[in-house]
Structure formats: C-alpha cells, structure tokens
Amino acid sequence: MPHLKSVFLETHNINNRASGLGTFNYELIKGLNQLCFDDLEIHLNSGRTNLLKNEFGDKFKYHKYWPFHRYKSFRSFHKFDLWHSVNQNSKLEPRINKKYLLTIHDVNFVEEISSDMNHKRNVLFIEKLKKADTITYISEFAKQQTHKYFQVPNIPEKIIYNGNPISTLLDTSSYISNVPVDKPFFYSIGDFIERKNFTSIINMMKTIKDFNLIISGNDTKKYGAVIKKLISDNGLTNQVFLTGKVSNMGKQFFMKNCTAFLFPSIREGFGLPPIEAMSFGKPTFLSDKTSLPEIGGDVANYWTNFDPEYMKTVLFDGLNSFENDKTNHEILLKQRAASFDWKVAAAEYFDVYSNILK
C-alpha cells in the first residue's frame, strides 16, 4: 500500500472560538471536512481532541496539545510531510519536517508591540518566514503589510480569503437581551482592544439622540475600562450599552435587529464581523483602513476619518441611501457576504497542500 502523505495543521488556537484565530482554525477544519481526500492524511492539534473527534469522527487524525510542546526539546516527534503553521504567532514548531506552509493573518504586532527586528515576536516570525516553502495570506492587505516590514523569501505566495462564519441563520425569537432593545440601535462587536476604535463611535453617539449603540465583546480587559469611563463621562449610560461576550444566538439577534452595523477598526488583517452583518442585509459602515475595503467592496460605507460630526453625516447619508432602495441594497449585501465561503477557502488550502507535496 502506498505511503499516504501527511499534513499537520497547527490548530491549538481552536479552543478560543471567540477570537478571530479560533474562528479561523475551526472554520478551516469544517471546510476541509466537507472535502473528499483519500490520498492525504490530515492531522489536527488541539487541547480538547475529544470535541473535534465527536464532531468530525475519523476524517482526521488528532493530536493532544500540551503547553510544554512549545519548547524545543518537547516538540512533536512525528515526521509529517507538510506542516501548516495556521497561526503565524504560534510557538509550536515541528521537530523535523519536509515542507512548511505559513498562513499570515496580519503583522500588526510590528506596529503595536515593537518594530525592533530583534524583538522576540519579530524573531519568531522571521524564523517562520525562512522556514516556509509557501505563504498564504488572508487578504491583499496582509500581504502588503508583510512585504513592507519583512524580507519575504522568493517562494510561492497566495491570497485565500476567509469564509463567512455564519453558515446557519438561527431562530433568535427566544433570545433575551441583557441590554435594552426597545429603541432603534446600531451594533458593533469585537475584541476590546484599542485598534477596534470603539471610542470613535461612542464619541459620534454624543451627536445622535434617537438611536442607541450596543457593543459586544469581552469588556473586562483594560480597553473595556477606557470605554466604560468614556460612556460614563459623556452621560451616555442610557444610550450606549455593553453586552459583554455573546453567544452565536446573541450575536445573530443583535445583527438581525440592528439598524446598521458599525466597524471603525483601524487595523484588520481581514475582519469577519462585517461579513456576518452583511449576511443579514444590514447597512455596514467601516473604516477605510487596512483590509476592510477588501471585505466591504462597493456595498459598504466608509469613514475616512473619525471626526464625530463627519461620522454622523456618513452614517445618515448611508442609511438614507439604503432606505431609498432597500430591497436592492439588501440583495447586494447578502450576495457580498455569500461570496466569502469556507468550503471554497478550504478547497484552495487543499490545492496548496497538494501542490507543495507534488
């Protein structure tokens, strides 16, 4: 019997489904699960292999992740034909391997942590670049940003867009919100970190009276305290509400019922929430920074700066335009969201695996 080629996906971030990387890990595996591959053996890495095995059965091979695997002397002993470094900042590396695929989501860490190439985060990343036989990026912006800050080896590079995480529209009629939804509201969701730029939409709300703003995400972080103080200091506690983390049903409830989705992030390698909002045909307002124009295309509205009065003007001009041709706008938004498909993305990754292993 011929030797089956083996591909190891370093997917230990899958445990944190609330994060962009966790979502990426899980959705890529789900997409691969829909493909037929008899000539490849795909191995997954997770701290909770039982959950993956319960969902995907014998389609994959499973490896238990332990934190000590990050140390050189405890690296995996298995010899795989291809190692896919799914998460560019992972300290997990193969002990020995033949081929190496690196997926780059963003290199925001150069701007946010340190631009010193001797900084340990940059050193780790440079080692991965040197090891790579092929690089995939999740956006054109991620590719441009990587080339701006690093010497990228002359190897095959490919952009593979992420898919839409909303594959099933849930019945949200039984969902009970922990914040008031009796007034029309705008919605936003994301990690509570500075680059999400929630302060800009809160400052804009000072100029708006007839709408509320609801923001979801883990607001217990340091930036959460900044946001809460801004809300309080501006007398907006009856108008701007934080839900904390939400379930999938909660997220879909707020997206389905909001007047518009706002995402003023200033740094995104990709940006999944706008795609989710467009799935519901909701008018979507984004910053024009980094990868977001690639996501929203010509169906989203964009802020080029964050002056509150200017943001309000863009918002209400966009809402008026939407209401004047609502049916057509909803169709275009939903079509845009549907163009991002995890099965298509997984098939493109699978083609990359096959090409590397030829």
Side-chain angles (χ1 to χ4, degrees):
M1 189 175 166
H3 162 68
L4 275 183
K5 291 282 176 79
S6 58
V7 182
F8 184 87
L9 272 63
E10 204 300 270
T11 50
H12 85 277
N13 276 326
I14 194 167
N15 288 354
N16 184 8
R17 300 273 173 92
S19 73
L21 281 178
T23 300
F24 178 87
N25 283 225
Y26 178 63
E27 295 294 345
L28 174 58
I29 292 167
K30 251 178 36 178
L32 288 168
N33 185 55
Q34 295 179 64
L35 304 178
C36 177
F37 47 90
D38 297 327
D39 52 346
L40 268 192
E41 203 173 69
I42 296 184
H43 297 248
L44 307 179
N45 192 32
S46 170
R48 302 169 76 182
T49 52
N50 57 318
L51 292 181
L52 292 178
K53 192 160 173 77
N54 288 344
E55 185 168 355
F56 302 114
D58 296 330
K59 185 93 179 204
F60 303 100
K61 304 287 182 190
Y62 305 95
H63 296 263
K64 176 79 173 169
Y65 161 71
W66 297 99
F68 60 75
H69 284 152
R70 291 177 299 174
Y71 301 104
K72 259 183 184 165
S73 41
F74 293 105
R75 283 179 179 171
S76 165
F77 289 90
H78 297 278
K79 189 169 185 178
F80 300 100
D81 296 298
L82 169 62
W83 180 284
H84 182 181
S85 186
V86 179
N87 309 312
Q88 80 225 356
N89 299 326
S90 167
K91 293 191 176 92
L92 263 77
E93 293 290 349
R95 178 175 284 259
I96 42 174
N97 71 295
K98 292 180 181 172
K99 297 287 184 181
Y100 192 93
L101 168 64
L102 174 61
T103 292
I104 297 176
H105 300 260
D106 63 64
V107 293
N108 289 333
F109 51 86
V110 180
E111 294 168 11
E112 293 178 350
I113 298 174
S114 175
S115 59
D116 175 4
M117 287 298 141
N118 293 314
H119 187 280
K120 61 184 180 183
R121 177 66 76 92
N122 295 330
V123 168
L124 173 75
F125 185 72
I126 291 166
E127 284 174 4
K128 286 176 181 282
L129 283 175
K130 286 177 178 171
K131 215 179 277 184
D133 294 282
T134 298
I135 299 172
T136 58
Y137 302 91
I138 64 169
S139 63
E140 179 64 46
F141 166 72
K143 181 179 178 181
Q144 289 172 1
Q145 193 190 29
T146 305
H147 279 264
K148 177 180 175 182
Y149 290 114
F150 295 94
Q151 283 188 301
V152 178
N154 184 19
I155 54 176
E157 297 176 281
K158 185 175 173 64
I159 293 160
I160 302 178
Y161 285 119
N162 294 343
N164 182 350
I166 293 185
S167 49
T168 310
L169 296 181
L170 303 174
D171 175 7
T172 60
S173 56
S174 63
Y175 183 77
I176 298 170
S177 169
N178 64 346
V179 297
V181 287
D182 52 334
K183 266 174 77 173
F185 64 89
F186 306 124
Y187 185 58
S188 193
I189 186 171
D191 283 339
F192 269 66
I193 46 182
E194 280 186 29
R195 75 168 107 109
K196 297 300 179 185
N197 195 24
F198 292 140
T199 52
S200 67
I201 50 177
I202 294 168
N203 286 324
M204 178 187 70
M205 290 305 293
K206 290 187 279 186
T207 72
I208 295 171
K209 288 289 164 271
D210 299 328
F211 291 85
N212 289 343
L213 170 64
I214 296 173
I215 306 175
S216 294
N218 182 3
D219 56 24
T220 60
K221 297 179 179 177
K222 187 173 154 190
Y223 186 59
V226 172
I227 294 298
K228 288 169 186 172
K229 186 174 188 304
L230 184 66
I231 293 168
S232 171
D233 288 354
N234 286 286
L236 292 169
T237 49
N238 291 323
Q239 203 180 356
V240 179
F241 301 95
L242 308 181
T243 68
K245 281 186 178 178
V246 284
S247 62
N248 271 337
M249 185 188 279
K251 177 171 67 175
Q252 290 201 22
F253 170 85
F254 291 119
M255 287 188 170
K256 190 185 290 184
N257 291 292
C258 69
T259 300
F261 181 75
L262 317 182
F263 201 72
S265 175
I266 52 174
R267 273 193 209 97
E268 287 299 318
F270 188 75
L272 290 169
I275 297 174
E276 296 174 294
M278 290 190 291
S279 301
F280 294 96
K282 292 295 174 177
T284 300
F285 295 81
L286 312 171
S287 93
D288 69 342
K289 309 289 181 270
T290 65
S291 69
L292 291 175
E294 290 179 70
I295 308 307
D298 58 3
V299 302
N301 303 271
Y302 297 95
W303 290 301
T304 58
N305 70 71
F306 303 109
D307 172 74
E309 286 290 348
Y310 160 78
M311 290 182 77
K312 176 186 174 180
T313 301
V314 170
L315 176 59
F316 283 97
D317 285 353
L319 287 176
N320 288 336
S321 170
F322 177 80
E323 289 299 333
N324 287 337
D325 191 9
K326 190 170 180 179
T327 304
N328 191 41
H329 278 301
E330 284 181 345
I331 289 168
L332 292 172
L333 285 157
K334 288 175 181 177
Q335 284 175 344
R336 181 75 189 175
S339 72
F340 296 95
D341 186 322
W342 274 113
K343 188 176 180 185
V344 172
E348 290 190 46
Y349 280 102
F350 189 81
D351 285 345
V352 171
Y353 299 161
S354 302
N355 288 333
I356 294 174
L357 291 170
K358 267 180 187 166

